Short mmCIF file of all heavy atoms in Angstrom, two decimals:
data_model
loop_
_atom_site.label_atom_id
_atom_site.label_comp_id
_atom_site.label_asym_id
_atom_site.label_seq_id
_atom_site.Cartn_x
_atom_site.Cartn_y
_atom_site.Cartn_z
N ALA A 238 0.60 -112.33 15.31
CA ALA A 238 0.36 -111.09 16.21
C ALA A 238 0.73 -109.85 15.51
O ALA A 238 1.84 -109.75 15.10
CB ALA A 238 1.00 -111.32 17.55
N VAL A 239 -0.21 -108.90 15.43
CA VAL A 239 0.08 -107.72 14.79
C VAL A 239 -0.60 -106.57 15.63
O VAL A 239 -1.61 -106.78 16.14
CB VAL A 239 -0.46 -107.72 13.43
CG1 VAL A 239 -0.68 -106.27 12.79
CG2 VAL A 239 0.46 -108.48 12.36
N GLU A 240 -0.05 -105.32 15.66
CA GLU A 240 -0.62 -104.22 16.33
C GLU A 240 -1.89 -103.85 15.57
O GLU A 240 -1.90 -103.78 14.23
CB GLU A 240 0.33 -103.13 16.39
CG GLU A 240 1.55 -103.43 17.09
CD GLU A 240 1.68 -102.72 18.48
OE1 GLU A 240 1.17 -101.61 18.59
OE2 GLU A 240 2.21 -103.37 19.36
N LYS A 241 -2.86 -103.25 16.25
CA LYS A 241 -4.06 -102.73 15.62
C LYS A 241 -3.63 -101.66 14.70
O LYS A 241 -3.03 -100.65 15.15
CB LYS A 241 -5.02 -102.34 16.73
CG LYS A 241 -6.29 -101.62 16.07
CD LYS A 241 -7.25 -101.28 17.26
CE LYS A 241 -8.32 -100.45 16.67
NZ LYS A 241 -9.40 -100.11 17.61
N GLY A 242 -4.11 -101.75 13.44
CA GLY A 242 -3.93 -100.62 12.48
C GLY A 242 -2.59 -100.40 12.13
O GLY A 242 -2.27 -99.43 11.30
N GLN A 243 -1.57 -101.29 12.46
CA GLN A 243 -0.11 -101.04 12.03
C GLN A 243 -0.10 -101.18 10.54
O GLN A 243 -0.55 -102.11 9.88
CB GLN A 243 0.66 -102.14 12.71
CG GLN A 243 2.17 -101.83 12.61
CD GLN A 243 2.95 -103.00 13.18
OE1 GLN A 243 2.37 -103.90 13.77
NE2 GLN A 243 4.18 -103.04 13.04
N LEU A 244 0.62 -100.26 9.86
CA LEU A 244 0.60 -100.30 8.40
C LEU A 244 1.53 -101.24 7.66
O LEU A 244 1.15 -101.91 6.71
CB LEU A 244 0.84 -98.81 7.82
CG LEU A 244 -0.32 -98.00 7.67
CD1 LEU A 244 0.07 -96.63 7.14
CD2 LEU A 244 -1.32 -98.57 6.88
N LEU A 245 2.73 -101.41 8.19
CA LEU A 245 3.55 -102.43 7.52
C LEU A 245 4.07 -103.46 8.62
O LEU A 245 5.23 -103.42 9.05
CB LEU A 245 4.89 -101.63 7.01
CG LEU A 245 4.57 -100.59 5.87
CD1 LEU A 245 5.84 -99.69 5.58
CD2 LEU A 245 4.11 -101.33 4.67
N PRO A 246 3.12 -104.33 8.99
CA PRO A 246 3.41 -105.23 10.10
C PRO A 246 4.44 -106.38 9.71
O PRO A 246 5.01 -106.99 10.49
CB PRO A 246 2.08 -105.77 10.36
CG PRO A 246 1.35 -105.58 9.21
CD PRO A 246 1.87 -104.57 8.41
N TYR A 247 4.51 -106.65 8.41
CA TYR A 247 5.19 -107.94 7.98
C TYR A 247 6.47 -107.64 7.26
O TYR A 247 6.69 -106.66 6.62
CB TYR A 247 4.31 -108.75 7.12
CG TYR A 247 2.94 -109.16 7.52
CD1 TYR A 247 1.87 -108.68 6.95
CD2 TYR A 247 2.94 -110.00 8.59
CE1 TYR A 247 0.66 -109.14 7.36
CE2 TYR A 247 1.72 -110.53 8.96
CZ TYR A 247 0.51 -110.03 8.47
OH TYR A 247 -0.66 -110.37 8.91
N ARG A 248 7.53 -108.51 7.55
CA ARG A 248 8.75 -108.54 6.66
C ARG A 248 8.42 -109.58 5.54
O ARG A 248 7.64 -110.39 5.75
CB ARG A 248 9.99 -108.94 7.44
CG ARG A 248 10.47 -107.75 8.39
CD ARG A 248 11.94 -107.97 8.79
NE ARG A 248 12.28 -109.54 8.80
CZ ARG A 248 12.18 -110.22 9.95
NH1 ARG A 248 11.96 -109.65 11.11
NH2 ARG A 248 12.65 -111.40 9.99
N LEU A 249 9.10 -109.43 4.47
CA LEU A 249 8.90 -110.29 3.32
C LEU A 249 9.19 -111.68 3.54
O LEU A 249 8.64 -112.66 2.89
CB LEU A 249 9.60 -109.77 2.11
CG LEU A 249 9.12 -108.52 1.53
CD1 LEU A 249 9.65 -108.20 0.09
CD2 LEU A 249 7.54 -108.46 1.44
N ASP A 250 10.18 -112.00 4.58
CA ASP A 250 10.53 -113.40 4.77
C ASP A 250 9.75 -113.93 5.98
O ASP A 250 10.03 -115.07 6.39
CB ASP A 250 12.05 -113.47 5.09
CG ASP A 250 12.44 -112.60 6.26
OD1 ASP A 250 11.65 -111.84 6.72
OD2 ASP A 250 13.63 -112.70 6.65
N GLU A 251 8.73 -113.24 6.33
CA GLU A 251 7.74 -113.78 7.40
C GLU A 251 6.53 -114.33 6.78
O GLU A 251 6.25 -114.03 5.57
CB GLU A 251 7.37 -112.62 8.33
CG GLU A 251 8.36 -112.17 9.28
CD GLU A 251 7.61 -111.12 10.09
OE1 GLU A 251 6.77 -110.25 9.63
OE2 GLU A 251 8.01 -110.96 11.28
N GLN A 252 5.85 -115.15 7.52
CA GLN A 252 4.52 -115.46 7.02
C GLN A 252 3.53 -114.52 7.41
O GLN A 252 3.73 -113.60 8.25
CB GLN A 252 4.14 -116.94 7.73
CG GLN A 252 5.01 -118.08 7.21
CD GLN A 252 4.73 -119.36 7.96
OE1 GLN A 252 5.23 -119.46 9.12
NE2 GLN A 252 3.90 -120.18 7.32
N CYS A 253 2.29 -114.50 6.74
CA CYS A 253 1.34 -113.55 7.04
C CYS A 253 -0.10 -114.16 7.18
O CYS A 253 -0.23 -115.27 6.73
CB CYS A 253 1.35 -112.38 6.06
SG CYS A 253 0.85 -112.92 4.39
N MET A 254 -1.06 -113.46 7.63
CA MET A 254 -2.39 -113.84 7.45
C MET A 254 -2.94 -113.29 6.15
O MET A 254 -2.48 -112.41 5.63
CB MET A 254 -3.25 -113.30 8.73
CG MET A 254 -2.87 -114.06 10.03
SD MET A 254 -3.74 -113.22 11.42
CE MET A 254 -5.39 -113.85 11.10
N ALA A 255 -4.10 -113.87 5.75
CA ALA A 255 -4.73 -113.35 4.49
C ALA A 255 -6.25 -113.57 4.69
O ALA A 255 -6.68 -114.53 5.39
CB ALA A 255 -4.14 -114.15 3.32
N LEU A 256 -7.04 -112.69 3.94
CA LEU A 256 -8.45 -112.71 4.06
C LEU A 256 -8.98 -114.02 3.79
O LEU A 256 -9.89 -114.57 4.43
CB LEU A 256 -8.95 -111.66 3.23
CG LEU A 256 -8.87 -110.23 3.87
CD1 LEU A 256 -9.40 -109.19 2.76
CD2 LEU A 256 -9.62 -110.09 5.18
N SER A 257 -8.61 -114.60 2.55
CA SER A 257 -9.22 -115.82 2.07
C SER A 257 -9.02 -116.95 3.19
O SER A 257 -9.87 -117.70 3.44
CB SER A 257 -8.73 -116.19 0.81
OG SER A 257 -7.17 -116.33 0.80
N MET A 258 -7.78 -117.07 3.60
CA MET A 258 -7.35 -118.14 4.55
C MET A 258 -8.12 -117.86 5.92
O MET A 258 -8.62 -118.76 6.52
CB MET A 258 -5.87 -118.00 4.78
CG MET A 258 -5.41 -118.80 5.80
SD MET A 258 -4.64 -120.26 5.02
CE MET A 258 -3.72 -120.84 6.37
#
Side-chain angles (χ1 to χ4, degrees):
Chain A
V239 159
E240 302 249 323
K241 176 177 172 176
Q243 191 184 351
L244 271 183
L245 297 170
Y247 301 116
R248 287 200 327 266
L249 294 191
D250 58 352
E251 282 181 329
Q252 291 174 280
C253 68
M254 291 175 70
L256 283 176
S257 53
M258 174 104 165

